[in-house]
Amino acid sequence: MSASAITLAPTDPEAITTSPRPAQRLAGLIQPDAIRAAVIRPTLRYLGIESEDAERLLLGTLLCLASLPSSRHPASGIGPFAISAQLHTRLWDDHLARSPDQASLLRGLASQRCFLSDPHAELGFNLAYAAAMAWLIYETQGVRLGAGASIGTLARIWQLAYPHRSGRASDFVKAWMQAHPVGEVISA
């Protein structure tokens, strides 16, 4: 099974890194469950991960970053998952360089020409690639998910493992609840 990359081609490549809060625009354009079903789930499956909790963690990450003010995003974050060029490079150099099979999978999600000329731009307009890199951040932080984690548990994982500036688990929960008004139990 392969993941299909959703690529949003910008009219101005500079807008990828200079426009504020692309996650907010993205989350406002597409229903969260559609993002999960069309991008996050197929991307994780492409990586060999079959986990509803992993799906919910990535969706919650996207929703939380969409709702946080820019001042609390990672410095110089690119794209809807706000991954900095420095972190992106570090993931490739320190982790993927030692894992050629995983590197090949990630490279398979990237577009041919753009990745070679500006690999960081993939974070801004290739949602499947950005989701895979976001998952890699959690993976390199040692996050291992069981089954049936509450939103509160996922929120604490986000707070401890994902780059942000002064983000709190309650930010994650609030973003989740705004996107899912009926909600689900959030206790640990």
Side-chain angles (χ1 to χ4, degrees):
M1 172 170 226
S2 66
S4 61
I6 290 183
T7 303
L8 306 172
T11 54
D12 176 12
E14 283 296 308
I16 293 169
T17 56
T18 59
S19 63
R21 303 179 64 191
Q24 184 174 24
R25 287 193 310 278
L26 181 65
L29 292 174
I30 304 171
Q31 291 296 318
D33 290 337
I35 294 170
R36 182 176 173 181
V39 178
I40 293 173
R41 182 176 300 134
T43 299
L44 287 171
R45 284 183 179 163
Y46 173 80
L47 298 174
I49 299 156
E50 298 266 349
S51 167
E52 284 191 27
D53 288 343
E55 292 175 21
R56 293 182 319 135
L57 180 60
L58 284 182
L59 180 59
T61 299
L62 183 65
L63 294 170
C64 187
L65 289 168
S67 67
L68 283 177
S70 297
S71 64
R72 292 175 58 202
H73 281 210
S76 305
I78 302 169
F81 287 97
I83 300 169
S84 71
Q86 295 79 14
L87 177 56
H88 187 226
T89 299
R90 195 167 69 239
L91 290 168
W92 275 100
D93 292 350
D94 297 346
H95 181 75
L96 292 169
R98 293 189 307 248
S99 181
D101 291 340
Q102 191 176 24
S104 180
L105 282 174
L106 266 306
R107 181 61 184 90
L109 289 172
S111 60
Q112 249 179 344
R113 291 185 185 171
C114 181
F115 187 82
L116 295 176
S117 64
D118 185 2
H120 306 308
E122 291 287 330
L123 298 168
F125 64 84
N126 183 332
L127 193 50
Y129 179 81
M133 292 307 292
W135 177 252
L136 186 59
I137 291 169
Y138 286 115
E139 192 176 88
T140 60
Q141 293 294 315
V143 170
R144 301 290 178 262
L145 297 169
S150 70
I151 294 303
T153 297
L154 297 176
R156 286 188 291 283
I157 291 169
W158 170 81
Q159 181 180 0
L160 296 172
Y162 203 84
H164 53 79
R165 292 187 279 184
S166 303
R168 298 179 305 273
S170 60
D171 297 323
F172 186 103
V173 171
K174 180 180 177 186
W176 185 271
M177 298 307 288
Q178 286 175 340
H180 300 88
V182 175
E184 57 183 83
V185 177
I186 53 175
S187 61

